[in-house]
């Protein structure tokens, strides 16, 4: 064990194990997660080559193998609980992705959520037994988040009781779905429905794309891999062109919307029900943001505790780079954010389960809020995490650029979350639409419930005038109130901007577009308030005094750092004055010093094993340099002392000279 990292752990002021239990949701969950991790680590069948040294085709092959092994091992070990499956998969896949990921995260959930009873009896056993391996084909080459612009068509033919699916243009080809290129034999295809000469918008259809025995593409199906990407080398993101493909009427998912045999269309109780799978995946992505950020912080902070560089005072030994205030300033706010997002992901899982239960009982009242919350938090957390991973990489200096650090892999594999399942700006605007609607309802006297209830206050304008001039920046309850008022102010400003545009005789669409920057800012403020509130509320559940103390410091750092980075909003709204903002900057630096003794212990509490990190720089034992050399020696370029290129190109060059 590296002596620096041993000393860091001795200096911790709290019990790391108890904090791990809080992050996991209880000691029993920690115990079970670790048992599952041990199963994986001790299983020789699950050993694999380092993907850093594999070609694209080899990576894909290994990805499919890994997906198949996961399925077989889950059966062998009798693991069926969704959370335990999540633990198992995380330890197996490390920083990479499953080739069959969309089968589990989108194909199956869509079948569970949108099949009617008869369809469930047919399709769910096929999917659960992997006879039908599926993906979710929504995005097209020419359209992504704009669902109404999708061009793929499904036209009902009552004579044969079939839907005829077509990709009428080049831009209408399905493009990007994971597992579509080579792995799947079925796809949930989102297509514009036409029946009896009428247009009914986007609906979901189960489309066979490959023969279930031979895996050869079926007639009318043009399918393949879209080629190398920024990351995801083990996933076959694909294209799909449909040429007069006929499927039975029963292949339209009909739990909510239906087409009768004669072509009569029965609309769903809520249009948003069609997008239920996307809401589920967006809530999952919030958890992925927390997970990726916690891994990145673990690597950067552990490495910063064993890396020595330069001098603080001439002649003194080189200090740990974690002792530099600039390094703390980079990393500790991100550590606080990792904790904040972890608790937000727990909140999102609980909220999704609760509202999904209500929906299954026929209560759709909270669906709009769930849709808005999942869209906004998906964008808010992924944008922040994407930037944070890169800060962690750069904070590791030159070694952070090496794949041995794992940070390049984490970055390239997380970055797509900012665009898939809804491009983030569009997601922010979707949430803004809900916020503006809620604001107008509150202004009209309607009593709002849920997370937007802060817009209820009809005395909002009076609150602005009656605000206290002194805010206690060390009191989290006071800061939650300030964040709430900032959100309310920016929602109000965005709504007024739209109204002013309308008064200039602009259309609704132009008024919206001309106010879009304000609308995104309003959503950002709303999401920021939600995160600060959830983090603060979580502290009320913590009984251990030492853990409560360090978590309070993290929560305070997260809240104050947000004020520092968005001081213009708080000043403009009159929530804080200039001396208070200056005081916030001073307090942030004080909090960095307070957190310094606990930094390594706080990342240890995430309990990422070396296998899941797959990072030489983030090793638990801190022995970076000897293992960095060992990793480099494994490069295929080092398999021979003299590479063949010398004899082919360099030697002849020397002869000519």
């Amino acid at each position: 064990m590296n002596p620096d990292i041993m000393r860091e752990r001795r200096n911790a002021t709290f019990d790391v194990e108890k904090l791990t239990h809080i992050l996991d949701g209880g000691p029993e969950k920690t115990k079970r997660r670790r048992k599952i991790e041990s199963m994986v680590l001790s299983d020789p069948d699950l050993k694999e080559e380092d993907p850093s040294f594999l070609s694209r085709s080899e990576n894909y092959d290994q990805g499919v193998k890994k997906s198949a092994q996961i399925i077989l091992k889950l059966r062998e070990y009798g693991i069926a609980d969704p959370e335990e499956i999540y633990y198992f998969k995380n330890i197996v896949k490390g920083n990479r992705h499953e080739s069959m990921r969309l089968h589990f995260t989108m194909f199956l959930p869509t079948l569970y959520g949108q099949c009617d009873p008869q369809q469930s009896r047919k399709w769910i056993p096929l999917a659960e037994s992997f006879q039908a391996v599926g993906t979710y084909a929504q995005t097209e080459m020419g359209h992504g988040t704009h669902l109404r612009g999708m061009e793929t068509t499904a036209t009902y033919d009552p004579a044969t009781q079939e839907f005829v699916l077509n990709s009428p243009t080049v831009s209408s080809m399905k493009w990007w779905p994971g597992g579509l290129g080579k792995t799947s034999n079925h796809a949930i295809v989102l297509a514009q429905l036409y029946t009896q000469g009428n247009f009914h918008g986007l609906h979901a259809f189960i489309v066979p794309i490959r023969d279930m025995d031979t895996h050869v593409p079926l007639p009318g199906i043009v399918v393949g891999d879209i080629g190398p990407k920024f990351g995801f080398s083990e996933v076959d993101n694909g294209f799909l062109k449909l040429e007069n493909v006929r499927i039975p009427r029963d292949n339209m998912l009909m739990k909510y919307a239906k087409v009768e045999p004669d072509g009569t269309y029965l609309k769903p109780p809520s249009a948003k029900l069609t997008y239920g799978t996307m809401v589920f995946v967006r809530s999952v992505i919030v958890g992925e943001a927390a997970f990726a950020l916690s891994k990145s912080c673990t690597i950067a902070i552990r490495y910063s505790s064993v890396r020595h560089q330069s001098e603080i005072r001439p002649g003194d030994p080189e200090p740990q780079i974690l002792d530099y205030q600039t390094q703390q300033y980079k990393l500790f706010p991100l550590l606080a954010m990792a904790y904040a997002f972890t608790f937000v992901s727990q909140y999102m899982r609980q909220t999704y389960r609760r509202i999904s239960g209500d929906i299954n009982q026929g209560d759709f009242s909270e669906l709009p809020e769930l849709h808005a919350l999942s869209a906004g938090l998906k964008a808010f957390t992924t944008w922040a995490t994407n930037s944070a991973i890169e800060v962690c990489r750069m904070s590791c200096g030159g070694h952070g650029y090496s794949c041995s650090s794992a940070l390049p892999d984490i970055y390239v594999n997380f970055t797509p979350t900012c665009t898939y399942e809804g491009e983030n700006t569009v997601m922010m605007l979707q949430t803004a639409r809900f916020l503006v609607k809620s604001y107008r309802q509150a202004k009209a006297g309607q009593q709002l419930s849920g997370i937007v209830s802060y817009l209820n206050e009809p005395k909002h304008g009076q609150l602005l005038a009656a605000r206290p001039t002194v805010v206690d920046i060390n009191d989290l309850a006071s800061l939650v109130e300030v964040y709430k008022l900032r959100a309310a102010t920016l929602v109000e400003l965005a709504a007024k901007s739209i109204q002013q545009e309308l008064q200039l005789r602009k259309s609704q669409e132009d008024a919206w577009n001309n106010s879009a920057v304000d609308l995104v800012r309003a959503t950002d403020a709303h999401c920021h308030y939600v995160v600060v509130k959830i983090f603060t509320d979580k502290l009320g559940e913590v009984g251990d005094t030492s853990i409560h103390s360090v978590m309070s410091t993290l929560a305070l750092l997260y809240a104050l750092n947000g004020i520092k980075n968005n001081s213009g909003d708080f000043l403009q709204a009159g929530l804080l004055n200039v001396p208070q903002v200056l005081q916030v900057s001073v307090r942030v630096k004080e909090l960095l010093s307070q957190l310094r003794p606990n930094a390594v212990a706080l990342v240890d509490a995430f309990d990422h094993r070396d296998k899941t990190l797959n990072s030489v720089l983030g090793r638990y034992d801190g022995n970076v340099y000897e293992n960095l050399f060992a990793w480099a020696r494994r490069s295929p370029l080092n398999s021979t002392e003299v590479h063949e290129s010398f004899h082919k190109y360099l030697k002849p060059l020397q002869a000519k000279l």
Side-chain angles (χ1 to χ4, degrees), residues 479-524:
L479 294 178
V480 170
E481 187 70 13
V482 170
Y483 269 93
K484 181 177 80 172
L485 288 169
R486 174 203 178 207
T489 302
L490 290 181
V491 171
E492 185 174 59
L493 286 173
K496 285 182 174 177
S497 173
I498 295 170
Q499 194 58 39
Q500 287 164 2
E501 292 287 329
L502 290 172
Q503 287 169 358
L504 295 172
R505 298 185 178 178
K506 299 284 179 67
S507 67
Q508 284 281 356
E509 294 78 13
D510 286 339
W512 182 266
N513 186 45
N514 292 344
S515 306
V517 171
D518 294 328
L519 289 161
V520 170
R521 285 179 62 219
T523 298
D524 183 81

Side-chain angles (χ1 to χ4, degrees), residues 405-455:
S405 74
L407 289 164
D409 267 350
I410 295 172
Y411 182 77
V412 299
N413 285 306
F414 184 79
T415 291
T417 61
C418 295
T419 46
Y420 69 51
E421 303 316 316
E423 191 277 328
N424 278 358
T425 301
V426 179
M427 293 295 92
M428 287 293 216
L429 290 169
Q430 282 188 12
T431 303
R433 196 173 295 278
F434 174 75
L435 292 173
V436 170
K437 182 180 179 181
S438 299
Y439 169 81
R440 289 172 177 166
Q441 288 171 338
K443 200 171 180 187
Q446 185 174 330
Q447 196 70 11
L448 302 176
S449 61
I451 204 72
V452 290
S453 58
Y454 65 87
L455 295 172

Side-chain angles (χ1 to χ4, degrees), residues 3 31 49-50 75 100 110 163 188 224 234 299 325 330 335 399 401 403 447 547 562 568 573 578 622 648:
K31 183 179 177 182
E49 294 179 69
D50 188 328
R75 287 177 186 165
M100 289 174 62
T110 303
F163 291 101
I188 302 285
E234 63 282 341
I299 294 165
Q325 188 185 66
K330 290 176 193 174
L335 175 60
H399 292 323
Y401 189 67
C403 285
Q447 196 70 11
I547 291 176
V578 172
K648 287 162 65 176

